[in-house]
PDB file of all heavy atoms in Angstrom:
ATOM      1  N   ARG D 756      12.737   3.935 -13.462  1.00 96.00           N
ATOM      2  CA  ARG D 756      12.028   4.507 -14.609  1.00 96.00           C
ATOM      3  C   ARG D 756      11.488   5.903 -14.288  1.00 96.00           C
ATOM      4  O   ARG D 756      10.745   6.476 -15.072  1.00 96.00           O
ATOM      5  CB  ARG D 756      10.884   3.571 -15.037  1.00 96.00           C
ATOM      6  CG  ARG D 756      11.390   2.199 -15.496  1.00 96.00           C
ATOM      7  CD  ARG D 756      10.241   1.261 -15.792  1.00 96.00           C
ATOM      8  NE  ARG D 756       9.519   1.588 -17.000  1.00 96.00           N
ATOM      9  CZ  ARG D 756       9.871   1.190 -18.232  1.00 96.00           C
ATOM     10  NH1 ARG D 756      10.962   0.461 -18.417  1.00 96.00           N
ATOM     11  NH2 ARG D 756       9.142   1.515 -19.277  1.00 96.00           N
ATOM     12  N   TRP D 757      11.868   6.434 -13.132  1.00 97.00           N
ATOM     13  CA  TRP D 757      11.431   7.769 -12.718  1.00 97.00           C
ATOM     14  C   TRP D 757      12.628   8.718 -12.773  1.00 97.00           C
ATOM     15  O   TRP D 757      13.725   8.380 -12.335  1.00 97.00           O
ATOM     16  CB  TRP D 757      10.867   7.736 -11.303  1.00 97.00           C
ATOM     17  CG  TRP D 757       9.567   7.001 -11.153  1.00 97.00           C
ATOM     18  CD1 TRP D 757       9.177   5.871 -11.799  1.00 97.00           C
ATOM     19  CD2 TRP D 757       8.492   7.346 -10.273  1.00 97.00           C
ATOM     20  NE1 TRP D 757       7.927   5.485 -11.386  1.00 97.00           N
ATOM     21  CE2 TRP D 757       7.482   6.362 -10.451  1.00 97.00           C
ATOM     22  CE3 TRP D 757       8.287   8.371  -9.356  1.00 97.00           C
ATOM     23  CZ2 TRP D 757       6.285   6.390  -9.742  1.00 97.00           C
ATOM     24  CZ3 TRP D 757       7.094   8.401  -8.636  1.00 97.00           C
ATOM     25  CH2 TRP D 757       6.106   7.424  -8.839  1.00 97.00           C
ATOM     26  N   TYR D 758      12.388   9.934 -13.291  1.00 97.00           N
ATOM     27  CA  TYR D 758      13.440  10.938 -13.417  1.00 97.00           C
ATOM     28  C   TYR D 758      12.905  12.273 -12.904  1.00 97.00           C
ATOM     29  O   TYR D 758      11.833  12.719 -13.311  1.00 97.00           O
ATOM     30  CB  TYR D 758      13.868  11.092 -14.884  1.00 97.00           C
ATOM     31  CG  TYR D 758      14.367   9.805 -15.495  1.00 97.00           C
ATOM     32  CD1 TYR D 758      13.478   8.858 -16.000  1.00 97.00           C
ATOM     33  CD2 TYR D 758      15.733   9.530 -15.550  1.00 97.00           C
ATOM     34  CE1 TYR D 758      13.932   7.662 -16.542  1.00 97.00           C
ATOM     35  CE2 TYR D 758      16.193   8.338 -16.094  1.00 97.00           C
ATOM     36  CZ  TYR D 758      15.284   7.413 -16.590  1.00 97.00           C
ATOM     37  OH  TYR D 758      15.733   6.226 -17.114  1.00 97.00           O
ATOM     38  N   ARG D 759      13.662  12.918 -12.028  1.00 97.00           N
ATOM     39  CA  ARG D 759      13.216  14.213 -11.494  1.00 97.00           C
ATOM     40  C   ARG D 759      14.330  15.242 -11.632  1.00 97.00           C
ATOM     41  O   ARG D 759      15.454  15.031 -11.208  1.00 97.00           O
ATOM     42  CB  ARG D 759      12.760  14.077 -10.043  1.00 97.00           C
ATOM     43  CG  ARG D 759      13.746  13.405  -9.120  1.00 97.00           C
ATOM     44  CD  ARG D 759      13.082  13.012  -7.795  1.00 97.00           C
ATOM     45  NE  ARG D 759      14.008  12.331  -6.924  1.00 97.00           N
ATOM     46  CZ  ARG D 759      14.732  12.930  -5.980  1.00 97.00           C
ATOM     47  NH1 ARG D 759      14.628  14.232  -5.804  1.00 97.00           N
ATOM     48  NH2 ARG D 759      15.570  12.250  -5.230  1.00 97.00           N
ATOM     49  N   PHE D 760      13.980  16.348 -12.265  1.00 97.00           N
ATOM     50  CA  PHE D 760      14.936  17.415 -12.534  1.00 97.00           C
ATOM     51  C   PHE D 760      14.742  18.560 -11.549  1.00 97.00           C
ATOM     52  O   PHE D 760      13.612  18.898 -11.188  1.00 97.00           O
ATOM     53  CB  PHE D 760      14.763  17.932 -13.960  1.00 97.00           C
ATOM     54  CG  PHE D 760      15.198  16.961 -15.023  1.00 97.00           C
ATOM     55  CD1 PHE D 760      14.337  15.985 -15.497  1.00 97.00           C
ATOM     56  CD2 PHE D 760      16.488  17.015 -15.540  1.00 97.00           C
ATOM     57  CE1 PHE D 760      14.732  15.084 -16.477  1.00 97.00           C
ATOM     58  CE2 PHE D 760      16.900  16.118 -16.518  1.00 97.00           C
ATOM     59  CZ  PHE D 760      16.019  15.151 -16.988  1.00 97.00           C
ATOM     60  N   VAL D 761      15.874  19.160 -11.161  1.00 97.00           N
ATOM     61  CA  VAL D 761      15.859  20.317 -10.261  1.00 97.00           C
ATOM     62  C   VAL D 761      16.625  21.444 -10.944  1.00 97.00           C
ATOM     63  O   VAL D 761      17.797  21.269 -11.332  1.00 97.00           O
ATOM     64  CB  VAL D 761      16.501  19.988  -8.898  1.00 97.00           C
ATOM     65  CG1 VAL D 761      16.514  21.229  -8.001  1.00 97.00           C
ATOM     66  CG2 VAL D 761      15.743  18.851  -8.215  1.00 97.00           C
ATOM     67  N   ASN D 762      16.005  22.592 -11.090  1.00 97.00           N
ATOM     68  CA  ASN D 762      16.614  23.737 -11.757  1.00 97.00           C
ATOM     69  C   ASN D 762      17.407  24.591 -10.762  1.00 97.00           C
ATOM     70  O   ASN D 762      17.218  24.493  -9.552  1.00 97.00           O
ATOM     71  CB  ASN D 762      15.526  24.576 -12.429  1.00 97.00           C
ATOM     72  CG  ASN D 762      16.086  25.550 -13.449  1.00 97.00           C
ATOM     73  OD1 ASN D 762      17.198  25.378 -13.952  1.00 97.00           O
ATOM     74  ND2 ASN D 762      15.324  26.589 -13.767  1.00 97.00           N
ATOM     75  N   THR D 763      18.282  25.433 -11.295  1.00 95.00           N
ATOM     76  CA  THR D 763      19.097  26.319 -10.466  1.00 95.00           C
ATOM     77  C   THR D 763      19.082  27.736 -11.035  1.00 95.00           C
ATOM     78  O   THR D 763      18.680  27.962 -12.174  1.00 95.00           O
ATOM     79  CB  THR D 763      20.558  25.830 -10.415  1.00 95.00           C
ATOM     80  OG1 THR D 763      21.093  25.793 -11.753  1.00 95.00           O
ATOM     81  CG2 THR D 763      20.651  24.444  -9.790  1.00 95.00           C
ATOM     82  N   LYS D 764      19.551  28.668 -10.215  1.00 94.00           N
ATOM     83  CA  LYS D 764      19.655  30.067 -10.633  1.00 94.00           C
ATOM     84  C   LYS D 764      20.991  30.617 -10.162  1.00 94.00           C
ATOM     85  O   LYS D 764      21.401  30.373  -9.022  1.00 94.00           O
ATOM     86  CB  LYS D 764      18.516  30.887 -10.026  1.00 94.00           C
ATOM     87  CG  LYS D 764      18.604  32.378 -10.315  1.00 94.00           C
ATOM     88  CD  LYS D 764      17.670  33.174  -9.418  1.00 94.00           C
ATOM     89  CE  LYS D 764      17.952  34.671  -9.546  1.00 94.00           C
ATOM     90  NZ  LYS D 764      17.226  35.448  -8.523  1.00 94.00           N
ATOM     91  N   ALA D 765      21.674  31.346 -11.030  1.00 91.00           N
ATOM     92  CA  ALA D 765      22.954  31.940 -10.660  1.00 91.00           C
ATOM     93  C   ALA D 765      22.754  32.961  -9.546  1.00 91.00           C
ATOM     94  O   ALA D 765      21.779  33.717  -9.536  1.00 91.00           O
ATOM     95  CB  ALA D 765      23.594  32.607 -11.879  1.00 91.00           C
ATOM     96  N   SER D 766      23.694  32.967  -8.604  1.00 88.00           N
ATOM     97  CA  SER D 766      23.646  33.916  -7.494  1.00 88.00           C
ATOM     98  C   SER D 766      24.981  34.635  -7.383  1.00 88.00           C
ATOM     99  O   SER D 766      26.029  33.977  -7.409  1.00 88.00           O
ATOM    100  CB  SER D 766      23.346  33.191  -6.177  1.00 88.00           C
ATOM    101  OG  SER D 766      23.598  34.035  -5.064  1.00 88.00           O
ATOM    102  N   PRO D 767      24.989  35.966  -7.261  1.00 83.00           N
ATOM    103  CA  PRO D 767      26.255  36.693  -7.139  1.00 83.00           C
ATOM    104  C   PRO D 767      26.919  36.493  -5.783  1.00 83.00           C
ATOM    105  O   PRO D 767      28.062  36.895  -5.580  1.00 83.00           O
ATOM    106  CB  PRO D 767      25.824  38.157  -7.331  1.00 83.00           C
ATOM    107  CG  PRO D 767      24.413  38.188  -6.855  1.00 83.00           C
ATOM    108  CD  PRO D 767      23.819  36.862  -7.252  1.00 83.00           C
ATOM    109  N   VAL D 768      26.216  35.840  -4.866  1.00 86.00           N
ATOM    110  CA  VAL D 768      26.720  35.702  -3.491  1.00 86.00           C
ATOM    111  C   VAL D 768      27.197  34.283  -3.190  1.00 86.00           C
ATOM    112  O   VAL D 768      28.271  34.077  -2.616  1.00 86.00           O
ATOM    113  CB  VAL D 768      25.629  36.106  -2.475  1.00 86.00           C
ATOM    114  CG1 VAL D 768      26.140  35.939  -1.049  1.00 86.00           C
ATOM    115  CG2 VAL D 768      25.179  37.537  -2.723  1.00 86.00           C
ATOM    116  N   VAL D 769      26.404  33.262  -3.606  1.00 86.00           N
ATOM    117  CA  VAL D 769      26.681  31.888  -3.164  1.00 86.00           C
ATOM    118  C   VAL D 769      26.900  30.905  -4.306  1.00 86.00           C
ATOM    119  O   VAL D 769      26.928  29.703  -4.082  1.00 86.00           O
ATOM    120  CB  VAL D 769      25.528  31.373  -2.273  1.00 86.00           C
ATOM    121  CG1 VAL D 769      25.465  32.150  -0.965  1.00 86.00           C
ATOM    122  CG2 VAL D 769      24.200  31.435  -3.018  1.00 86.00           C
ATOM    123  N   GLY D 770      27.073  31.374  -5.510  1.00 87.00           N
ATOM    124  CA  GLY D 770      27.234  30.461  -6.648  1.00 87.00           C
ATOM    125  C   GLY D 770      25.909  30.239  -7.340  1.00 87.00           C
ATOM    126  O   GLY D 770      25.588  30.924  -8.310  1.00 87.00           O
ATOM    127  N   ILE D 771      25.126  29.292  -6.863  1.00 92.00           N
ATOM    128  CA  ILE D 771      23.781  29.074  -7.393  1.00 92.00           C
ATOM    129  C   ILE D 771      22.812  28.822  -6.243  1.00 92.00           C
ATOM    130  O   ILE D 771      23.198  28.398  -5.158  1.00 92.00           O
ATOM    131  CB  ILE D 771      23.712  27.894  -8.390  1.00 92.00           C
ATOM    132  CG1 ILE D 771      24.204  26.597  -7.737  1.00 92.00           C
ATOM    133  CG2 ILE D 771      24.484  28.195  -9.648  1.00 92.00           C
ATOM    134  CD1 ILE D 771      24.055  25.376  -8.627  1.00 92.00           C
ATOM    135  N   THR D 772      21.550  29.102  -6.521  1.00 94.00           N
ATOM    136  CA  THR D 772      20.472  28.722  -5.611  1.00 94.00           C
ATOM    137  C   THR D 772      19.576  27.726  -6.336  1.00 94.00           C
ATOM    138  O   THR D 772      19.600  27.625  -7.560  1.00 94.00           O
ATOM    139  CB  THR D 772      19.656  29.945  -5.156  1.00 94.00           C
ATOM    140  OG1 THR D 772      19.141  30.617  -6.319  1.00 94.00           O
ATOM    141  CG2 THR D 772      20.515  30.913  -4.355  1.00 94.00           C
ATOM    142  N   TYR D 773      18.780  26.990  -5.574  1.00 96.00           N
ATOM    143  CA  TYR D 773      18.043  25.856  -6.119  1.00 96.00           C
ATOM    144  C   TYR D 773      16.542  26.079  -6.044  1.00 96.00           C
ATOM    145  O   TYR D 773      16.035  26.762  -5.134  1.00 96.00           O
ATOM    146  CB  TYR D 773      18.400  24.582  -5.346  1.00 96.00           C
ATOM    147  CG  TYR D 773      19.871  24.282  -5.344  1.00 96.00           C
ATOM    148  CD1 TYR D 773      20.731  24.918  -4.451  1.00 96.00           C
ATOM    149  CD2 TYR D 773      20.418  23.380  -6.253  1.00 96.00           C
ATOM    150  CE1 TYR D 773      22.088  24.664  -4.456  1.00 96.00           C
ATOM    151  CE2 TYR D 773      21.784  23.121  -6.262  1.00 96.00           C
ATOM    152  CZ  TYR D 773      22.612  23.769  -5.361  1.00 96.00           C
ATOM    153  OH  TYR D 773      23.962  23.524  -5.370  1.00 96.00           O
ATOM    154  N   ASP D 774      15.840  25.475  -6.990  1.00 97.00           N
ATOM    155  CA  ASP D 774      14.378  25.454  -6.953  1.00 97.00           C
ATOM    156  C   ASP D 774      13.952  24.940  -5.577  1.00 97.00           C
ATOM    157  O   ASP D 774      14.299  23.817  -5.188  1.00 97.00           O
ATOM    158  CB  ASP D 774      13.863  24.523  -8.054  1.00 97.00           C
ATOM    159  CG  ASP D 774      12.344  24.457  -8.110  1.00 97.00           C
ATOM    160  OD1 ASP D 774      11.661  24.979  -7.205  1.00 97.00           O
ATOM    161  OD2 ASP D 774      11.829  23.861  -9.078  1.00 97.00           O
ATOM    162  N   PRO D 775      13.207  25.724  -4.812  1.00 96.00           N
ATOM    163  CA  PRO D 775      12.877  25.314  -3.445  1.00 96.00           C
ATOM    164  C   PRO D 775      11.807  24.231  -3.345  1.00 96.00           C
ATOM    165  O   PRO D 775      11.739  23.514  -2.334  1.00 96.00           O
ATOM    166  CB  PRO D 775      12.394  26.614  -2.793  1.00 96.00           C
ATOM    167  CG  PRO D 775      11.863  27.422  -3.935  1.00 96.00           C
ATOM    168  CD  PRO D 775      12.725  27.078  -5.115  1.00 96.00           C
ATOM    169  N   VAL D 776      10.973  24.078  -4.367  1.00 96.00           N
ATOM    170  CA  VAL D 776       9.829  23.174  -4.258  1.00 96.00           C
ATOM    171  C   VAL D 776      10.238  21.715  -4.037  1.00 96.00           C
ATOM    172  O   VAL D 776       9.657  21.034  -3.185  1.00 96.00           O
ATOM    173  CB  VAL D 776       8.902  23.325  -5.489  1.00 96.00           C
ATOM    174  CG1 VAL D 776       7.805  22.264  -5.479  1.00 96.00           C
ATOM    175  CG2 VAL D 776       8.286  24.720  -5.503  1.00 96.00           C
ATOM    176  N   PRO D 777      11.245  21.175  -4.751  1.00 96.00           N
ATOM    177  CA  PRO D 777      11.623  19.785  -4.499  1.00 96.00           C
ATOM    178  C   PRO D 777      12.151  19.532  -3.101  1.00 96.00           C
ATOM    179  O   PRO D 777      12.205  18.377  -2.645  1.00 96.00           O
ATOM    180  CB  PRO D 777      12.714  19.525  -5.543  1.00 96.00           C
ATOM    181  CG  PRO D 777      12.461  20.519  -6.622  1.00 96.00           C
ATOM    182  CD  PRO D 777      11.978  21.736  -5.896  1.00 96.00           C
ATOM    183  N   PHE D 778      12.546  20.599  -2.381  1.00 94.00           N
ATOM    184  CA  PHE D 778      13.128  20.430  -1.060  1.00 94.00           C
ATOM    185  C   PHE D 778      12.222  20.934   0.052  1.00 94.00           C
ATOM    186  O   PHE D 778      12.642  21.038   1.209  1.00 94.00           O
ATOM    187  CB  PHE D 778      14.484  21.148  -1.015  1.00 94.00           C
ATOM    188  CG  PHE D 778      15.414  20.721  -2.116  1.00 94.00           C
ATOM    189  CD1 PHE D 778      15.775  21.603  -3.116  1.00 94.00           C
ATOM    190  CD2 PHE D 778      15.897  19.426  -2.167  1.00 94.00           C
ATOM    191  CE1 PHE D 778      16.626  21.207  -4.144  1.00 94.00           C
ATOM    192  CE2 PHE D 778      16.739  19.016  -3.191  1.00 94.00           C
ATOM    193  CZ  PHE D 778      17.101  19.912  -4.184  1.00 94.00           C
TER     194      PHE D 778
END
Side-chain angles (χ1 to χ4, degrees):
R756 298 175 72 85
W757 291 37
Y758 302 83
R759 52 194 178 94
F760 290 86
V761 178
N762 196 21
T763 59
K764 175 194 170 190
S766 167
V768 179
V769 293
I771 58 175
T772 57
Y773 303 82
D774 181 351
V776 173
F778 306 113

